[in-house]
Amino acid sequence: MFSKSGTSSGSSLLHNSGSKPVMQAVMDRKKRKRMLSNRESARRSRMRKQKKLSDLIAEVNQLKKENSQILTVLSITTRRYSTLEAQNFILKAQLMKLSSELQYFSKMSHNITSNSFSSNMALCDRPHLMESFTSSSNMGYISQLIIASAEDMLYY
């Protein structure tokens, strides 16, 4: 915009020799204010970055701790599984042995009950035979007989 004197109002301020130091002071003040604002913004940015880094380090430490606990539980569980697996194997072997003995004694019982009256009477006349046959001290011997007879069966 031009004034009545023919010069623009903005250019009259610049050309005015007295206003040049004022303008420079205003510009310097704005520049210092902008620099301070930028410094403060950079400081806040560094603080946010440092806080984020601290939070991430804390999270890493927490995850390492949880990971260690999980590995400990996994190790204990794996050992317990191995122990149970071994016990299960032993129990299965015992089951097979006891099933075989039960089958043997069932056959023996069937044979005893199916024999004639005279043979049953003969056993009743000699109770020491039944007692010695069924005594617990002979159970190991009977199981050895079962195993031996099973091995013998393989060759026939």
Side-chain angles (χ1 to χ4, degrees):
M1 303 278 169
F2 289 102
S3 65
K4 291 184 179 182
S5 63
T7 61
S8 70
S9 61
S11 63
S12 66
L13 289 175
L14 290 176
H15 292 298
N16 189 350
S17 63
S19 67
K20 189 172 187 183
V22 173
M23 285 296 283
Q24 186 65 33
V26 169
M27 296 279 278
D28 288 343
R29 188 171 50 88
K30 286 184 178 181
K31 186 176 181 182
R32 278 193 305 269
K33 186 178 177 182
R34 191 171 52 248
M35 283 176 47
L36 287 174
S37 176
N38 286 346
R39 283 182 188 156
E40 184 61 26
S41 177
R43 185 184 67 78
R44 287 190 308 264
S45 176
R46 286 189 302 272
M47 287 177 66
R48 281 192 307 270
K49 185 177 178 182
Q50 183 61 40
K51 183 177 180 344
K52 187 171 184 174
L53 180 63
S54 296
D55 291 346
L56 288 173
I57 288 171
E59 185 179 0
V60 164
N61 289 333
Q62 178 63 28
L63 290 172
K64 283 181 179 180
K65 182 180 175 183
E66 289 176 16
N67 191 31
S68 175
Q69 291 171 345
I70 289 170
L71 288 174
T72 300
V73 169
L74 177 64
S75 175
I76 291 168
T77 304
T78 302
R79 278 186 269 147
R80 180 73 177 138
Y81 173 79
S82 296
T83 301
L84 290 173
E85 192 175 35
Q87 290 174 348
N88 192 32
F89 180 78
I90 291 168
L91 290 173
K92 283 181 180 180
Q94 289 174 346
L95 174 67
M96 289 175 54
K97 179 183 174 194
L98 290 173
S99 294
S100 174
E101 288 176 0
L102 177 64
Q103 185 179 14
Y104 174 77
F105 286 122
S106 293
K107 286 181 183 178
M108 291 295 291
S109 172
H110 178 70
N111 287 341
I112 290 172
T113 58
S114 66
N115 282 341
S116 67
F117 179 75
S118 62
S119 62
N120 285 337
M121 288 302 291
L123 284 175
C124 291
D125 290 342
R126 298 183 191 132
H128 65 281
L129 287 177
M130 279 301 283
E131 186 177 312
S132 66
F133 178 72
T134 58
S135 72
S136 60
S137 62
N138 288 335
M139 294 306 265
Y141 176 72
I142 292 172
S143 66
Q144 289 175 353
L145 287 176
I146 293 170
I147 294 170
S149 62
E151 290 174 355
D152 292 339
M153 294 298 286
L154 292 175
Y155 298 111
Y156 291 112

